């Protein structure tokens, strides 16, 4: 439960890395090497696009802690949303929506006209969350190809 208002800011590798890794491990339970949190962070930082954000809570006991993340991408044609995560103890208070709105504002500021995102089958909670934030299911076939194994 949030004890103080949270703030959303750009990810800082020196300050936020360990807590983001911990949050992603607990929320996403990654099981494939290419999804390892540390690797995902390093690859994102390597593109220098400033589209990686964290939500911070100033806890009286713990100090400032990372309680949410969102990663966005923009290739000049479409925007994408990834790694949308809120600490279970902080859910249900609008924080996910705030993070998403922040990413949307940053994408819009870069001229992005439309955002796409993917939700795994069976993640009805995430689908409901995105629908509550104005996203609609579009009839598309999602395809992918691994360039590295
Ligand atoms: C999805 C997630 C980011 C939502 O974070 P949150 O801070 O709880 O979201 P919000 O409080 O902003 O929710 C906004 C609205 O979304 C909908 N919503 C959010 N969580 C929901 C859930 N578990 N079930 C159904 N609807 C939900 C509700 O309409 C909610 O409004 P309400 O609280 O007035 O009913 C969070 O549950 C999470 O981290 N989940 C695990 C990771 C994940 O699945 N990420 C998406 C990957 S595709």
């Amino acid at each position: 439960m949030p004890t103080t208002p949270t703030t959303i800011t750009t990810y800082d590798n020196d300050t936020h890395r360990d807590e983001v890794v911990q949050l992603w491990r607990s929320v996403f339970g990654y099981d494939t090497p290419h999804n390892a949190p540390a690797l995902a962070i390093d690859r994102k930082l390597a593109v220098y696009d400033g589209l990686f954000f964290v939500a911070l809570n100033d806890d009286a006991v713990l100090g400032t802690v990372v309680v949410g993340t969102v990663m966005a991408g923009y290739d000049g044609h479409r925007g994408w949303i990834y790694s949308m995560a809120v600490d279970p103890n902080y859910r249900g208070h609008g924080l996910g929506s705030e993070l998403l709105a922040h990413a949307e504002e940053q994408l819009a500021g870069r001229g992005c006209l439309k955002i796409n995102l993917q939700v795994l089958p069976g993640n009805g909670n995430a689908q409901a969350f995105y629908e509550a934030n104005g996203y609609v299911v579009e009839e598309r076939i999602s395809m992918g190809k691994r360039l590295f194994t």
Side-chain angles (χ1 to χ4, degrees):
M1 181 83 62
T3 53
T4 57
T6 52
T7 56
I8 295 173
T9 188
T10 304
Y11 171 86
D12 178 77
N13 201 45
D14 292 334
T15 315
H16 306 136
R17 185 184 184 90
D18 290 348
E19 290 175 52
V20 169
V21 168
Q22 195 177 334
L23 178 68
W24 286 358
R25 281 205 182 112
S26 67
V27 170
F28 297 123
Y30 293 118
D31 57 0
T32 50
H34 70 271
N35 273 332
L39 186 59
I41 290 170
D42 287 343
R43 288 189 187 283
K44 182 59 173 172
L45 296 180
V47 299
Y48 297 105
D49 63 4
L51 288 171
F52 183 12
F53 308 103
V54 292
L56 305 175
N57 183 255
D58 284 318
D59 185 278
V61 178
L62 300 174
T64 303
V65 289
V66 173
V67 293
T69 65
V70 63
M71 195 185 269
Y74 182 52
D75 56 18
H77 184 60
R78 291 284 184 262
W80 285 85
I81 295 291
Y82 308 93
S83 304
M84 181 76 242
V86 170
D87 181 316
N89 294 321
Y90 292 80
R91 290 180 191 169
H93 298 278
L95 183 54
S97 302
E98 281 183 49
L99 273 162
L100 186 57
H102 187 83
E104 290 171 358
E105 282 168 23
Q106 295 293 318
L107 288 168
R110 288 162 165 77
C112 174
L113 298 176
K114 181 170 185 279
I115 296 173
N116 293 336
L117 57 84
Q118 294 180 320
V119 177
L120 288 175
N123 195 349
N125 292 344
Q127 183 178 336
F129 165 73
Y130 286 122
E131 286 176 340
N133 281 283
Y135 290 74
V136 294
V137 175
E138 298 179 319
E139 290 302 320
R140 306 282 190 275
I141 296 173
S142 178
M143 298 180 70
K145 176 181 177 181
R146 294 203 188 288
L147 300 181
F148 298 93
T149 53

